[in-house]
Amino acid sequence: MKFYSPKRDNKSVGERSQAIILARLSEVGYAVLVPFGENHRYDLVFEDADGNFYRIQCKTGCISQGCIDFNTSSNYYHHPRKGEKTDYRRRDYRGQIDYFAVYSPDTRKVYLVPIEHVPVTEGRLRLEPTKNGKEKNIRWAQDYEL
């Protein structure tokens, strides 16, 4: 019997990350809800011990220069009007989610990051000290680990 390697396209990578994030949230004791349909900007909702609900956008992080990088906005196709150029645009998640849940295949860990802790285009969680010794305004990955 021949086994084929798993898909590596963006959708399947994202689905694997979402499954791992859901399992980790459940493992630490949160009730997790999965929205029905595709018309949501969030992937999951979790309920805390006080009965508060929080919307999560799941992301897959990749390591670069001692940090876990992840997108904090999405690309969408802009349908041009007559005479306009076709292009892609970015849309952030402000007002539509409460947290980014980031799975890093490299560290095999999940990080829960409040949306207000990251810029609107890319988030970075530092794993290693900076080369210049800078400490101010650094988001350490360990502080967000779930």
Side-chain angles (χ1 to χ4, degrees):
M1 176 182 233
K2 183 175 181 176
F3 290 96
Y4 296 95
S5 63
K7 288 184 177 181
R8 298 273 182 216
D9 60 273
N10 287 344
K11 185 171 177 8
S12 60
V13 168
E15 287 170 347
R16 275 193 291 281
S17 291
Q18 184 174 337
I20 291 166
I21 290 165
L22 188 153
R24 183 68 182 134
L25 285 165
S26 181
E27 185 178 77
V28 298
Y30 289 113
V32 183
L33 308 167
V34 179
F36 178 77
E38 295 288 325
N39 295 325
H40 308 284
R41 294 278 288 162
Y42 51 90
D43 296 315
L44 302 171
V45 174
F46 75 90
E47 181 182 10
D48 69 11
D50 296 326
N52 299 309
F53 292 90
Y54 298 97
R55 300 163 296 178
I56 296 175
Q57 175 58 227
C58 298
K59 295 291 183 181
T60 305
C62 62
I63 293 182
S64 172
Q65 300 175 348
C67 295
I68 299 169
D69 294 341
F70 60 98
N71 289 326
T72 58
S73 63
S74 62
N75 292 325
Y76 70 96
Y77 177 73
H78 170 66
H79 298 283
R81 295 181 190 165
K82 189 173 182 176
E84 287 184 336
K85 189 174 108 177
T86 301
D87 63 352
Y88 283 92
R89 299 194 177 170
R90 296 183 76 77
R91 187 167 79 174
D92 69 46
Y93 293 95
R94 304 281 180 212
Q96 298 172 327
I97 67 164
D98 304 297
Y99 289 91
F100 287 101
V102 182
Y103 172 66
S104 169
D106 298 303
T107 65
R108 301 184 63 87
K109 294 180 180 178
V110 174
Y111 306 89
L112 193 59
V113 184
I115 190 169
E116 58 272 358
H117 287 203
V118 292
V120 297
T121 57
E122 183 180 56
R124 299 193 95 195
L125 300 176
R126 184 153 283 285
L127 294 166
E128 302 169 359
T130 61
K131 290 181 181 177
N132 66 5
K134 178 184 171 186
E135 289 286 330
K136 191 175 180 182
N137 298 324
I138 290 181
R139 291 174 194 85
W140 292 101
Q142 66 189 17
D143 295 339
Y144 297 96
E145 190 177 320
L146 193 58

